[in-house]
Amino acid sequence: MIEKLEQHYGYLFEDDLIKEIAEVAIYKEFKANSTIIDIDSYLVSIPLIISGAIKVLREDKDGDDLVLYYIEKGDTCAMTLSCCMGATKSKIKAIAETDVTVLMIPKGKMSEWLSKYKSWQEYILQSYHSRLNEFIEAVDSIAFLNMNERLHKYLKDKAMVIGDDTLNVTHLQIANDLHTSRVVISRLLKALEKQSKIELHRNQIKILEL
């Protein structure tokens, strides 16, 4: 485990912190599309992502989801940190976008390390800053972009997160992530294809403009 930590977090954390993480962390693997955190769950640990990507969603009163942002290798989730610190129920859902490996850190260690390690303090503050910026970007996207622009941005973001310009995704899955209907997504995808921004294949979309 120390080798994985040094590889992915060695440039961020002191050697002593790396050793402590290795002692207390629980290594977990999640398959793509599996739920990692659910709405209204109490969280007892925070994730450090070793590999893969996770999408963070908000659920409305009807049970429909809206993608807020993605977290990737080297990241943690600011919403998880807030829930752990406040001992409150989760307001978000986290789904594995790809196969994911994470190290789960007991929440008690988070506050202890904030005063003990400057690198951990900087990491947590940077995580809050990054997630806040992404959340603002998500709000701006909903408020100021039309659905065609939102869809194109969603496809490009998804491609960058998984590191592949070909997405294996259905129109219904996209519609659920963007909180709209499959019919609307299918129509807009065809429009993007006519603009030579994407290529449509059966359950696959190739992004031509990244």
Side-chain angles (χ1 to χ4, degrees):
M1 186 181 293
I2 287 185
E3 288 182 1
K4 287 182 189 245
L5 280 166
E6 288 175 342
Q7 179 183 353
H8 299 291
Y9 291 91
Y11 69 100
L12 288 173
F13 300 147
E14 302 99 320
D15 290 344
D16 287 346
L17 177 53
I18 292 286
K19 290 176 183 176
E20 282 206 53
I21 293 174
E23 288 172 1
V24 301
I26 298 173
Y27 179 84
K28 288 193 174 183
E29 297 180 352
F30 297 92
K31 292 295 185 183
N33 300 316
S34 59
T35 299
I36 299 172
I37 298 170
D38 211 347
I39 301 289
D40 288 337
S41 58
Y42 281 106
L43 306 178
V44 296
S45 56
I46 59 172
L48 297 183
I49 302 179
I50 297 298
S51 66
I54 298 170
K55 64 181 175 183
V56 177
L57 310 100
R58 183 78 172 99
E59 187 178 89
D60 70 10
K61 59 183 175 57
D62 298 319
D64 295 323
D65 295 325
L66 177 68
V67 174
L68 297 178
Y69 53 79
Y70 294 92
I71 51 178
E72 306 171 68
K73 178 178 66 178
D75 289 338
T76 189
C77 179
M79 299 291 246
T80 304
L81 301 175
S82 296
C83 291
C84 283
M85 290 288 280
T88 57
K89 291 181 180 179
S90 173
K91 299 294 190 295
I92 55 94
K93 183 186 294 183
I95 305 290
E97 178 70 12
T98 64
D99 290 348
V100 176
T101 58
V102 299
L103 294 177
M104 305 302 290
I105 309 296
K107 67 177 184 179
K109 287 294 180 179
M110 189 176 75
S111 356
E112 177 187 327
W113 292 344
L114 280 174
S115 57
K116 190 173 180 181
Y117 296 109
K118 182 174 177 56
S119 64
W120 180 256
Q121 183 183 95
E122 291 174 346
Y123 175 72
I124 296 301
L125 291 175
Q126 182 57 47
S127 176
Y128 274 116
H129 177 71
S130 298
R131 301 296 85 79
L132 177 60
N133 284 342
E134 289 166 348
F135 181 75
I136 290 173
E137 188 177 325
V139 172
D140 284 348
S141 174
I142 295 168
F144 304 123
L145 298 182
N146 60 40
M147 184 55 74
N148 185 60
E149 293 169 322
R150 282 182 61 200
L151 173 59
H152 193 211
K153 180 181 182 302
Y154 165 89
L155 294 173
K156 291 192 295 183
D157 288 349
K158 196 176 183 73
M160 284 189 283
V161 163
I162 67 173
D164 193 338
D165 62 4
T166 299
L167 306 177
N168 296 301
V169 61
T170 67
H171 295 192
L172 181 58
Q173 288 171 326
I174 297 171
N176 289 340
D177 282 349
L178 293 181
H179 213 305
T180 186
S181 72
R182 183 192 59 76
V183 173
V184 168
I185 291 302
S186 295
R187 174 172 54 80
L188 293 177
L189 286 171
K190 288 177 183 176
L192 288 175
E193 186 174 43
K194 286 181 180 178
Q195 297 167 22
S196 299
K197 293 181 178 179
I198 64 172
E199 286 179 0
L200 294 176
H201 306 282
R202 184 173 179 79
N203 291 338
Q204 278 192 339
I205 301 171
K206 183 176 177 62
I207 315 302
L208 302 178
E209 286 188 9
L210 284 177

